[in-house]
């Protein structure tokens, strides 16, 4: 039933909030948040970053508000290297289509959205991704 998927998603969001300091460590500080994409009305995509402070990997959240998957969406990121897909609300476990990035994307030195690095990301339909920097520069 659909409610099992919702329960699983809420459980995983709560675990992520507790386990990923970027989601909570600097809630009351302006430096804990930065927009990536705020004006992409053609694709209905919003993206933002959360920062947890020294030694804490940044986390990017990307939301696709359309029923159309967006393959090859170039997303600006503050660091190069591997960005692990920590959450995908379109996962089959939550009742979704399982569209995603195979667990990670790699950001390279390709400027986008005011950042020196970016990655090509597959944005699932009507879904949000959490991408956590997982290594490299």
């Amino acid at each position: 039933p659909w409610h099992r998927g919702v329960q699983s998603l809420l459980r995983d969001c709560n675990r992520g909030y507790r386990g990923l300091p970027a989601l909570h460590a600097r809630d009351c500080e302006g430096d804990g948040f930065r927009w990536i994409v705020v004006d992409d009305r053609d694709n209905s995509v919003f993206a933002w970053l959360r920062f947890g402070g020294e030694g804490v990997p940044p986390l990017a959240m990307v939301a696709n508000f359309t029923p159309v998957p967006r393959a090859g969406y170039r997303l600006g990121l503050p660091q190069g290297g591997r960005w692990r897909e920590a959450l995908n609300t379109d996962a089959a476990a939550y009742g979704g289509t399982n569209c995603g990035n195979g667990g990670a994307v790699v950001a390279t030195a390709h400027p986008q959205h005011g950042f020196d690095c970016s990655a090509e990301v597959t944005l699932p339909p009507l879904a949000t991704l959490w991408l956590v920097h997982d290594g490299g520069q």
Side-chain angles (χ1 to χ4, degrees):
W2 66 269
H3 67 280
R4 295 232 194 283
V6 172
Q7 287 173 333
S8 295
L9 176 58
L10 288 173
R11 179 198 64 226
D12 291 349
C13 285
N14 286 327
R15 284 182 183 161
Y17 185 77
R18 285 190 313 269
L20 298 168
L23 289 175
H24 61 82
R26 298 177 75 189
D27 273 348
C28 299
E29 301 173 31
D31 289 344
F33 173 89
R34 182 169 172 194
W35 283 109
I36 301 172
V37 179
V38 70
D39 58 357
D40 187 353
R41 72 179 74 115
D42 293 337
N43 293 300
S44 296
V45 171
F46 285 99
W48 59 98
L49 288 162
R50 294 297 310 262
F51 298 96
E54 189 68 32
V56 174
L59 184 142
M61 294 186 169
V62 191
N64 176 7
F65 290 97
T66 71
V68 178
R70 307 251 177 239
Y73 190 90
R74 182 145 304 270
L75 180 69
L77 292 165
Q79 294 176 291
R82 185 177 188 270
W83 288 73
R84 177 177 52 88
E85 197 174 75
L87 182 81
N88 176 346
T89 64
D90 191 53
Y94 310 137
T97 66
N98 222 27
C99 177
N101 297 280
V105 297
V106 176
T108 59
H110 187 286
Q112 186 75 16
H113 301 121
F115 294 94
D116 291 335
C117 297
S118 65
E120 283 195 6
V121 180
T122 296
L123 302 178
L126 300 170
T128 298
L129 301 176
W130 293 0
L131 301 171
V132 179
H133 189 254
D134 208 20
Q137 293 296 334

